[in-house]
């Protein structure tokens, strides 16, 4: 048995001065029946915890670490900027460079605004949509998570689903009354709601590949229907690519599925592990944003030079020829291995994958929606999580999260992971 003594001591102290001992709920590992590990350092595909235990990491800081941890190009870029200072509260060349890199890769973007998190990106995007259309209603989808802004805490995924929180106290009824949450991948329901209420919808926001209910790909025609119906009723189509952006393809999910949204949100990878979010769209839409237009949004540390440098270095590394092909190969190897492990151990499990986002559900039915995801055996997932950790595999501590493969994951890492899954599922099947 691994010792987690140091983490336990740190967690005990943390709980006296930080709510739940963590700065983000899903890290608390409550749904998998253990206390969180405190991480000492990370490099490549590995994490080392406070007790010196080494793990193969499939959280990757919940998505940003697509290159793997402590990538030399990112460290070097941050060190170079450090010599100039850390924050000026004024424009720097690096903001222009990162904006250019993003716009070059995402054809639907003509202008982009940097913020400090995915939450800020998504909440700002819907504010622009509301300001532009003069409408209040937003449509989201059950199990999708767009950060913790008031309007989104309705049938949300990720930590909200993990902790089984229906919505959240503190969010006024008057706010969530403007949010409609519909079943993901349910084309019929969406179309009929738009027929009835489309003229009052400011925006439809969607995770083009859902990564916050476990991993659920878009059904055939789903994204195309969102595109068609929002255009028909003058609603803004927002792709929340905080997780999928620069992850599932060089140009994100909108490249993969060849759909052009009106606005896009980014985070995670775009900051290379430092706090960056971004939202953008066509010129006519982004012209609404202050100081160019009337829709206000601001941030002291938006465009922070260190964060820009980390984002630039990360995006540049993902443009190395063959980067996504290699990621695709490693991710397919992992998914096939997990499926094989379930099959040979007689475990009821479904593996979903899009690019380097992988989801494993302990259920015997296809998982195409949040309702489907909720049929998973959460007890089994919890035991699987703890046993895989014991085998040196660090997974997301929730059935309603995705696994992330990085460019640093080797065939040996993948094969060790599959071996561990076989061992653990054999034990759990007894
Ligand atoms: P942040 O505010 O956490 O940077 O981004 C919010 C967000 C927005 N949109 C999507 C699609 C997201 O996945 C997220 C954040 N993802 C979660 C993990 N599923 C963050 C982890 C956490 O809350 O600690």
């Amino acid at each position: 048995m691994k010792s987690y003594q140091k983490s336990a001591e740190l967690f005990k102290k943390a709980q006296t001065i930080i709510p739940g001992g963590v700065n983000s709920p899903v890290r608390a590992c409550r749904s998998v029946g253990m206390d969180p590990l405190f991480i000492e350092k990370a490099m490549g595909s590995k994490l080392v915890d406070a007790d010196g235990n080494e793990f193969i990491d499939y959280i990757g800081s919940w998505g940003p670490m697509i290159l793997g941890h402590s990538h030399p190009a990112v460290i070097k870029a941050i060190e170079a900027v450090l010599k100039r200072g850390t924050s000026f509260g004024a424009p720097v060349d690096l903001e222009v460079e990162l904006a250019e890199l993003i716009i070059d890769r995402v054809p639907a973007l003509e202008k982009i605004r940097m913020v400090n998190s995915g939450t800020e990106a998504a909440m700002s995007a819907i504010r622009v949509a509301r300001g532009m259309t003069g409408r209040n209603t937003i449509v989201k989808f059950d199990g999708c998570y767009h950060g913790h802004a008031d309007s989104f805490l309705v049938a949300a995924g990720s930590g909200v689903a993990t902790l089984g929180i229906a919505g959240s106290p503190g969010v006024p009824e008057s706010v969530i009354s403007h949010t409609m949450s519909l079943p993901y991948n349910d084309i019929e329901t969406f179309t009929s709601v738009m027929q009835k209420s489309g003229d009052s919808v400011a925006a439809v926001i969607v995770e083009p590949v859902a990564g916050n209910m476990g991993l659920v790909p878009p059904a055939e025609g789903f994204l195309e229907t969102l595109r068609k119906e929002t255009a028909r009723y003058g609603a803004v189509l927002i792709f929340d690519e905080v997780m999928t952006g620069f992850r599932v393809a060089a140009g994100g999910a909108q490249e993969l599925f060849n759909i052009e949204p009106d606005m896009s949100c980014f985070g995670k990878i775009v900051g290379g592990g430092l706090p960056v979010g971004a939202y953008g769209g066509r010129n006519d839409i982004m012209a609404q944003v202050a100081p160019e237009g009337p829709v206000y949004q601001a941030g002291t540390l938006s465009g922070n030079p260190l964060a820009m440098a980390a984002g630039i270095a990360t995006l540049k590394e993902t443009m190395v020829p063959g980067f996504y092909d290699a990621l695709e190969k490693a991710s397919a190897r992992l998914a096939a291995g997990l499926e094989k492990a379930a099959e040979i151990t007689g475990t009821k499990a479904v593996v979903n994958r899009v690019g380097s986002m992988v989801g494993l559900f302990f259920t015997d039915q296809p998982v195409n929606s949040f309702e489907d995801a909720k049929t998973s055996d959460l007890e089994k997932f919890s035991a699987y999580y703890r046993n895989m950790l014991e085998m040196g595999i660090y997974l997301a501590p929730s059935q309603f999260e995705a696994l992330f493969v990085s460019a640093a994951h080797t065939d040996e890492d993948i094969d060790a992971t599959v071996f561990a899954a076989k061992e653990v599922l054999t034990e759990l099947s007894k």
Side-chain angles (χ1 to χ4, degrees), residues 24-27 62 116-120 122 145-148 158 207 211-212 240 242-243 268 400-401:
S24 197
V26 75
R27 299 178 192 170
W62 301 96
N116 301 282
S117 69
T119 295
E120 261 195 276
Y145 178 72
H146 306 291
H148 65 88
S158 185
E207 287 183 55
N212 286 292
D240 177 347
V242 168
M243 198 182 265
K268 299 179 192 281
F400 305 116
E401 295 289 354

Side-chain angles (χ1 to χ4, degrees), residues 181-203:
S181 192
L182 306 176
Y184 191 79
N185 278 333
D186 183 337
I187 292 176
E188 208 183 307
T189 303
F190 173 73
T191 310
S192 69
V193 164
M194 289 303 276
Q195 270 160 2
K196 265 203 297 293
S197 327
D199 291 331
S200 65
V201 172

Side-chain angles (χ1 to χ4, degrees), residues 10 23 30 51 64 74 94 215 221 247 253 256 276 328-329 339 354 357 363 366 380:
L10 283 164
N23 283 311
R30 289 203 171 176
D51 293 279
V74 177
L94 297 159
L215 195 277
R247 161 91 33 204
L256 191 63
V276 179
E328 179 62 23
K329 252 176 81 220
E339 277 172 340
V354 176
M357 293 169 65
T363 181
K380 182 153 204 146

Side-chain angles (χ1 to χ4, degrees), residues 318 320-332:
T318 64
V320 167
F323 179 87
Y324 289 96
D325 294 343
L327 209 47
E328 179 62 23
K329 252 176 81 220
S331 307

Side-chain angles (χ1 to χ4, degrees), residues 132-155:
M132 199 175 106
T133 59
R135 303 172 182 178
N136 288 330
T137 303
I138 60 158
V139 171
K140 71 175 287 290
F141 295 91
D142 300 347
C144 285
Y145 178 72
H146 306 291
H148 65 88
D150 284 355
S151 296
F152 299 132
L153 292 180
V154 176

